[in-house]
Structures are given as C-alpha cells and as structure tokens.
Amino acid sequence: MAMSAPTSSPHSLLLQNVNRHHLPTTKTISLHPSPRPTKPISITCSASAQIHDRPAAAAQDRVFNFAAGPAILPESVLRKAESELYNWRGSGMSVMEMSHRGKEFLSIIQKAESDLRSLLSIPSDYAVLFLQGGATTQFAAIPLNLCVQPDPVDFIVTGSWGDKAFKEAAKYCKPTLIWSGKSEKYTKIPSFDDLEQNPHAKYLHICANETIHGVEFKNYPTPKNGLLVADMSSNFCSKPVDVSKFGLIYAGAQKNVGPSGVTIVIIRKDLIGKAQEITPVMLDYKIHADNNSLYNTPPCYGIYMCGLVFEDLLAQGGLAEVEKKNVKKAKILYDAIDESKGFYRCPVEKSVRSLMNVPFTLEKAELEAEFVKEAAKEKMVQLKGHRSVGGMRASIYNAMPLAGVEKLVAFMKDFQARHA
Amino acid sequence: MAMSAPTSSPHSLLLQNVNRHHLPTTKTISLHPSPRPTKPISITCSASAQIHDRPAAAAQDRVFNFAAGPAILPESVLRKAESELYNWRGSGMSVMEMSHRGKEFLSIIQKAESDLRSLLSIPSDYAVLFLQGGATTQFAAIPLNLCVQPDPVDFIVTGSWGDKAFKEAAKYCKPTLIWSGKSEKYTKIPSFDDLEQNPHAKYLHICANETIHGVEFKNYPTPKNGLLVADMSSNFCSKPVDVSKFGLIYAGAQKNVGPSGVTIVIIRKDLIGKAQEITPVMLDYKIHADNNSLYNTPPCYGIYMCGLVFEDLLAQGGLAEVEKKNVKKAKILYDAIDESKGFYRCPVEKSVRSLMNVPFTLEKAELEAEFVKEAAKEKMVQLKGHRSVGGMRASIYNAMPLAGVEKLVAFMKDFQARHA
C-alpha cells in the first residue's frame, strides 16, 4: 500500500480531532479527600446545574501515549466508559458486575460481534470468537485445532512475534521456516514468488504486522493449499482486510481495539471441530463457537470496551476512512525521519514499513536516552524501543490523534536543530 | 464452620454498611445528551463548588445483584474506578492504556500482589500468579504442570465444577473419583476418614465451594502425599485460609475479588518447573513465575480492579472481619429458609452450606418464576437458580451488603404471606 495523498488537509483533520473533545462525555468530580493527593477541581454551576465541559483542560491532562500495547484508546470511548462504569444504561450495575448470561451482557457481546462483522465485512461462513490469553495462547491453539501430528506447516517469519509462533507450533505440528528475515534484522518481507512452499503444508502462517520491528505485509502470499493464517494483533482494524483470503485471523485486542485480556479469533467455520485430543478445552475453538464465546465466563469488561471502540470506528466511517488517517499519520512521521539527512533513521525497507509501529534510531546513539527523556517532559511517553532492539519506537495506532504525531514531528525537528 | 453468633448486632452492621456510602468516593455527572436516554441529575452547588454526595439517591439507582459471577462489586471500589478511569492518578492515561512494562502498571500489579499476600498471609515460598482463561483453563494447567502421564490423581467431587475439573484432568493424568456427591444431587461433603485415597496420587483435588450447588468445605482433608489442590473461585478471600495446607489454590476473580478475565494461582514454588512437554507456553507456571505474570500482556485492567478490591478488604480489617460479615449474612438467609415451615427449602446439608451461594426451592415449584419476577421488580436481580438445577440461588459474596440480604429476607417473608 502506497503512502497516498491524504483526502483532507492536515488542518481539517486537526479540527476533527479537536472537535472530538465536544462529543457526549462526562466530567468526574472528586468529592472527598482521596488516599492519594488529587488536584482540586473548581466547578462552575449555572442556575440549571449544567456544568461546562473544558476540553482544553482535558487535553492538557492527557499525554500522547506512543506505547506498543496496551496502547492509547479513543478519548471519546474512555469518556463513555467513565460515564457508564458505575451504572450501565440504567441497569443498576456496572458492566463488570453483570452475569455473562444476563440479557444486558448478551446485548453487549452480540452488538460487539455484529459491529466487528460490519467493520471487516466478515463473511457468514466465518465464526468470531472472543477469547482470553493473548496471541501467545493462539500460538498453541492454532496447530492444536488445525493439525494432526506430524502435519507440516509453513512459516514466514518477519519478526519476533512470528518467531515465537513458529517455536510454539513445534509442540503440536511440524513447522518449517520457509523464509526468515532474521539475518537482515527483520527489516524486509520476501518476494512471494520466491517462496518454496510445502505443497502438503496444512497452512501458511504470517504475522501481518510485526510490532517490535515495524514490518507490515501490504499484500498477502497465496498458500499452496489455500489456508492462510495471520497474527494481526498490531494492525487489526487499522485498514480493510479481505477476510475471505484467510483461514484464520487472530489478534490481541490491546493495540487497536480495546484493553488487554481479550483475544479475537476469526475462523472459517469448516475448520472448527478437529482439535487434537490433548487440546485443553479452553483452547478448543469448537467449544467456544458452539457456545458463542460463553462456554465459561468471558472477559466481559474487555469485550464491552472493544464494542465501544468498534462503534467509534464505524462512526468514523469504517476502516477505509480509518486507513486514510493512518496513512496520513505514518507519512508525516516517516517523512520526518527520511528528510532528517540521517539524523533519524528507520531501518525498515520503505515498501513494507508499518502504519502502526515506527521504529527509528538516532545517528548519534548516545542521544537516544535524552530524546526519550525530553519527549516525556513534553508529555509524549513510551517512545523507547523494545528492549530487544533498542532505539526508539512510536506506535501510532488508530486512536493516536494526528495532533500527537504532529507534535512528535515538531519535537523531532527541534531536537535535531539543537543536537545536529 | 458453624453459623456462630455474630459479634456485633444487626443494627450496628446495618449502620456500618450505610456508612460505607460516606467513604471517599466520586459522583459522575452527565454533561451532554447521551445516545441513550439517561435520567437527568440535579446538582446542588455551594459557593465553594462543593457537591454533596447523595447516598440515598445512589443506593436507589443500584440494584441488589445476586448473580453467581460476574457478581456485585463494592460500591466504593466502583466509584474509585470511575474517578480514575480517564486519567489514573495524574499519569495522563487510563489504566487500560498503560504499557504493562511501564512503572505505573508495575506499581499496580506489585501492590495487588502485596495486598493479596497480606490478606491471605501467603508464605514466601508460594508464588502468586495473575493469569487468564478462568478456572477452566486451570483444569488443564494443573495436571499439565504437576503430573507426568500416567500419574494418578484423586478427586473429591462435590458439585458441577469439581466434575468438570475431573473430566478435563483425564487428558493429562489418571484421575480417580474417590468420592462423588452426584447420587445425592451434590448436597454433601464426605467424612474425610472414610476416603480411600491412592497413596501414590500426585495430589488430591477439591472444589472448596461449589457455586451451583452451594456446598462448601468448612475444613480440609489431609492428602496422603501432602499435596492438596483447591478451586476456590467462589469463596476466594471470603474468609481466612491457611495457604500452607495447600500445594496450589486457584480462583477466577469474578466472584469476590474483581471482574472476569483474571485468574489467580497461588502455588508452592517447589512445584513449579516440571510441566509436561505438550504444555502450551501460556499454561506453564514457570514462564509466569519467572516473569512475575508479565511474560505476555496480562489482563491489566482486571488486575487493577482486583487490587482495588484487595485494598477495600484490608480496609475492612482483613478476612477475619470479612468472614464475620459473611457468616451473619448467610445466617439470616438460611434462618429465613429453615423457619419458613417448608415454604422455602435448601437441599444442602446444614453443616456444609455455602456462605457464598445459597440455593433454595419453593415447596410450590409453580411459584418460582413469579418469585424471581417479583423480586426483580423490587430491584433484587439474578435470583434464578443455575439452569442445570433450577429453583433459586442467592449469591451473597463479600460485596453484597447486609441490607441486600435483609431486603431479600423481608421480601421472602412477604411473598410467603401472600402465597402460603
């Protein structure tokens, strides 16, 4: 996918972001001394007891959080969650207190699934499962459900997460590494024509976006037997995806669509029901599909939060619109790096740079700690690169406003001017 | 444990409960029209912009939720979570947005563990793990970690959950059902002297409190090889427990200590590190113990909520005090059943009745639906028994106020007067 020209001006997008502060929201007011010091909040009351929201103050309170996950969530979603936390829509209870089999929670999980199906145009012959345990649990669950020992499976490994999936799979099938980017420090994606796929491989596994290395598939290889499996944890719902090309898509929620503790699996229904005998019941897709993700108690509050994010993404116009914003944000950040005359460097091959995770280094590596420290003072946090690769990393998921990226770029230019 | 006389009068406990409404808390005020209709809230503002809490109104908004789990949470905990949701203690972000490796979340999980260790006096040679997947995942993880095939294991099954654990274990060890209460509809616990334990059993498994059947161990059998394993999901932190008697204790959080999506495992450290080769990495206790529950992204927000509950339980004086309240609540409810001259019936043997889950039936079974319906109108919800057993069930976990049980008992007496 090319970094295409944005459809709206930076200015209009910035306004759009600022305007989001005026969405329906609530203001929490501390009434009693808290165990920890809190700032006093002054309140203006009109005769009708309306309280004016103060978007400027709210924005000042917030940092720009560039963490790789758990990560920034949309401000309007947090405000909605805050307003509903104590008493969800007149139910007299918090979502955290609801029986997972009660009509209130059923309405929440059903709407979440329905909205996700709309967002990704998920075909009806695919099941959507809300699970626990993160993508790491799926590293085992997938071969346990799709393979019989010693079925061969092909892996393309473009970063640390794909490598972890490959290693875990070896317990339950016979995985082959048909391509690895390790020798080039995970900065590339192979030409699909050159891949030597095993014609008997049960599936071909990829990690669609490597969170640590910032490498993203822009299109997908065609597996010999038709079954493509993708870890989309860190670019899930960041752009439209043709689900029908995949046998199975999985994603931890804590990057683009919710808090940690929810894992989403989208699986073609005919692949369900063939788990190995040693499969723990909680890793058996059939159990969850047959019970609409309610075999045991699901992570209810996390699913509720995902549902609020899905609503927000639909309200933005769906994933095509979301992708435009992500392309725009990524472009100004990569441009700033590439136009820095080597002061900043991104090691990833341009054609496969991630829209979500932007790793970069400083030519003068000794300045990196200072960069992270100064940025934090300016309320831009979590910019340190993953401990395994060093440098910096800016994760700019869906919920990162354009203003956050613009502020980062301005800071980078200023930092360069002071240290070049 | 006998239903001993309460240490304080009903009146003083009621006051204690009402006083909780005056604990440090916050009030959320809707500022804009919400997408769904919400009740207008009138606010009284003083010159200094202080807003008076209105415990009566807050209590009116809330229902008494007798759900078996997810279940009622302490009102003060929900208010605290509400006040911190958008911006946790000046960090500029929600707990849901925090990197699990950042200093903010590390302080949260470390304090949660420390407070839990205080509550249960957990010895230092035990690890505390915050995991995902519910007790059902542990049904597999425990034999995978503690057994080599075909190690024998003994099970005492006193209800549906123990039975599920027994069946799942058969995949990974050789479990023997040394006692089952099934033929007596799970209303009893055996005499420990009569048990025929396998001297080679790797461990003895019990479910300390059966949520569906309302059967609770009041003391514990001594396993032949010294290793007792207990599912404490539905009575965890409801009373003091001598952890040193157990090799492993596990509990889903969503009954007494938090929202769903967090599972707590307390395991003697010398038992860690012997997982079978087929164990999924996420079910290997060693991985989680070595990484302080941060091998992958944990369910951060759920752990935060558990931490708030632990703080609340400590503030109440610890589990000995909590137990006194639970004994008192259970006593007035069981007394109401036993004194109803058969109008209400609890099938469980008196000496092992649960303090947490109180199942009961109506002599006139045809009135049960009416009972549940009328109670709901009176804002007492989720009183229908589990679908597998029918009748009614009142779950009265730690967070259920005495006032809730008193209201239920008053309703039961009134219902009886009208239908006897």
Side-chain angles (χ1 to χ4, degrees), chain A residues 14 17 63-68 72 328-337 340 343-344 346 354-362 368 370-385 391-397 400-418:
Chain A
L14 187 58
N17 174 58
V63 295
F64 285 118
N65 175 12
F66 291 92
I72 189 168
K328 180 180 178 66
K329 287 185 293 177
K331 179 172 165 44
I332 65 168
L333 182 49
Y334 285 116
D335 281 353
I337 293 167
S340 72
F343 188 82
Y344 301 106
C346 172
S354 169
L355 294 186
M356 300 284 102
N357 312 99
V358 181
F360 58 98
T361 55
L362 281 180
E368 288 176 351
E370 181 65 20
F371 180 96
V372 171
K373 194 173 152 193
E374 285 188 25
K377 275 189 195 161
E378 301 287 327
K379 298 199 171 186
M380 292 174 286
V381 303
Q382 294 290 338
L383 281 162
K384 197 174 172 186
M392 270 84 67
R393 173 177 49 174
S395 293
I396 50 174
Y397 296 116
M400 175 58 68
L402 179 63
V405 181
E406 289 177 332
K407 183 172 176 179
L408 174 61
V409 165
F411 170 78
M412 288 167 71
K413 289 181 177 166
D414 178 65
F415 187 88
Q416 180 173 0
R418 287 184 285 115

Side-chain angles (χ1 to χ4, degrees), chain B residues 391-407:
Chain B
M392 270 84 66
R393 174 177 49 173
S395 294
I396 50 175
Y397 296 117
N398 288 351
M400 174 60 67
L402 178 64
V405 180
E406 288 177 333
K407 184 173 176 178

Side-chain angles (χ1 to χ4, degrees), chain B residues 11 46 81 86 132 141 147 169 192 213 221 224 236 239 259 295 329 363 396:
Chain B
H11 190 63
S46 70
Y86 180 72
Q132 297 185 60
C147 296
F192 301 152
H213 298 92
K224 281 255 163 75
F236 191 62
K239 59 185 180 184
Y295 171 68
K329 287 185 293 178
E363 187 180 19
I396 50 175

Side-chain angles (χ1 to χ4, degrees), chain A residues 31 36 45 51 62-63 65 70 73 75 79 86 97-98 132-133 168 171-172 260 278-281 298 300, chain B residues 31 45 51 62 65 70 73 75 79 86 89 92 97-98 132-133 168 171-172 260 278-281 298 300:
Chain A
L31 291 161
R36 301 202 177 195
C45 289
I51 293 186
R62 240 170 116 70
V63 295
N65 175 12
L73 287 166
E75 204 170 318
R79 287 298 192 193
Y86 179 72
E97 304 178 291
M98 289 177 184
Q132 297 184 60
E168 178 78 347
K171 293 178 187 167
Y172 314 108
S260 61
I278 57 164
T279 308
V281 65
C300 299
Chain B
L31 292 160
C45 289
I51 294 185
R62 243 171 112 69
N65 174 12
L73 287 166
E75 205 170 319
R79 287 298 191 194
Y86 180 72
R89 302 181 192 180
E97 303 178 292
M98 288 176 183
Q132 297 185 60
E168 179 77 348
K171 293 176 186 167
Y172 314 107
S260 60
I278 57 165
T279 307
V281 65
C300 299

Side-chain angles (χ1 to χ4, degrees), chain A residues 112-358:
Chain A
E113 178 178 337
S114 169
D115 284 351
L116 178 59
R117 283 184 179 276
S118 296
L119 278 170
L120 282 167
S121 304
I122 299 173
S124 60
D125 60 331
Y126 282 72
V128 173
L129 309 177
F130 293 98
L131 306 176
Q132 297 184 60
T136 306
T137 299
Q138 297 310 309
F139 296 167
I142 291 164
L144 278 167
N145 279 270
L146 302 187
C147 296
V148 177
Q149 278 281 32
D151 277 344
V153 170
D154 285 345
F155 275 76
I156 299 173
V157 170
T158 54
S160 297
W161 290 105
D163 188 53
K164 285 193 176 188
F166 168 68
K167 285 171 178 157
E168 178 78 347
K171 293 178 187 167
Y172 314 108
C173 65
K174 199 177 168 194
T176 301
L177 192 58
I178 63 168
W179 192 89
S180 169
K182 191 172 185 184
S183 63
E184 294 173 285
K185 295 189 177 173
Y186 296 128
T187 53
K188 292 183 179 166
I189 283 178
S191 156
F192 301 152
D193 293 339
D194 300 341
L195 294 172
E196 287 190 28
Q197 292 188 46
N198 181 337
H200 304 293
K202 206 74 186 209
Y203 58 88
L204 173 62
H205 184 281
I206 63 168
C207 178
N209 183 71
E210 284 284 354
T211 322
I212 294 173
H213 299 91
V215 175
E216 182 172 20
F217 282 81
K218 305 298 178 180
N219 46 49
Y220 304 103
T222 303
K224 281 254 163 75
N225 78 350
L227 206 54
L228 185 61
V229 170
D231 178 356
M232 291 196 184
S233 292
S234 52
N235 66 351
F236 190 62
C237 288
S238 68
K239 58 184 180 185
V241 166
D242 180 356
V243 172
S244 72
K245 283 188 175 172
F246 298 84
L248 189 154
I249 291 169
Y250 63 109
Q254 71 274 12
K255 317 288 188 182
N256 266 322
V257 299
S260 61
V262 180
T263 315
I264 294 166
V265 169
I266 302 170
I267 179 172
R268 222 176 62 207
K269 289 178 180 171
D270 65 295
L271 301 173
I272 296 172
K274 299 162 189 171
Q276 295 180 33
E277 282 183 15
I278 57 164
T279 308
V281 65
M282 284 294 288
L283 272 61
D284 185 343
Y285 297 138
K286 182 169 165 54
I287 287 285
H288 297 292
D290 287 351
N291 291 278
N292 298 313
S293 303
L294 297 168
Y295 171 68
N296 74 332
T297 317
C300 299
Y301 196 73
I303 293 169
Y304 156 76
M305 287 299 300
C306 289
L308 293 186
V309 172
F310 297 152
E311 277 181 12
D312 179 72
L313 295 175
L314 285 169
Q316 289 184 50
L319 298 187
E321 291 304 311
V322 169
E323 180 183 30
K324 284 180 197 163
K325 294 179 193 174
N326 287 331
V327 167
K328 180 180 178 66
K329 287 185 293 177
K331 179 172 165 44
I332 65 168
L333 182 49
Y334 285 116
D335 281 353
I337 293 167
D338 293 341
E339 292 164 5
S340 72
K341 296 176 181 162
F343 188 82
Y344 301 106
R345 290 174 179 181
C346 172
V348 182
E349 191 178 276
K350 286 191 180 182
S351 66
V352 296
R353 285 176 170 177
S354 169
L355 294 186
M356 300 284 102
N357 312 99
V358 181

Side-chain angles (χ1 to χ4, degrees), chain B residues 315-389:
Chain B
Q316 289 182 52
L319 298 187
E321 291 304 312
V322 169
E323 180 182 32
K324 284 181 198 163
K325 295 179 193 174
N326 287 332
V327 167
K328 179 180 179 65
K329 287 185 293 178
K331 178 170 167 43
I332 67 169
L333 182 47
Y334 284 117
D335 281 353
I337 292 167
D338 293 341
E339 291 163 6
S340 72
K341 297 177 181 161
F343 187 83
Y344 301 106
R345 290 175 180 181
C346 172
V348 181
E349 191 178 279
K350 285 191 180 184
S351 66
V352 296
R353 285 177 171 178
S354 169
L355 295 186
M356 299 283 103
N357 312 100
V358 181
F360 59 99
T361 55
L362 280 181
E363 187 180 19
K364 301 174 184 170
E366 69 277 12
L367 288 176
E368 288 176 351
E370 181 64 22
F371 180 95
V372 170
K373 195 173 151 193
E374 285 189 25
K377 276 189 196 161
E378 302 286 329
K379 299 199 170 185
M380 291 175 286
V381 303
Q382 293 289 339
L383 281 161
K384 198 174 170 185
H386 189 270
R387 61 198 185 283
S388 66
V389 294

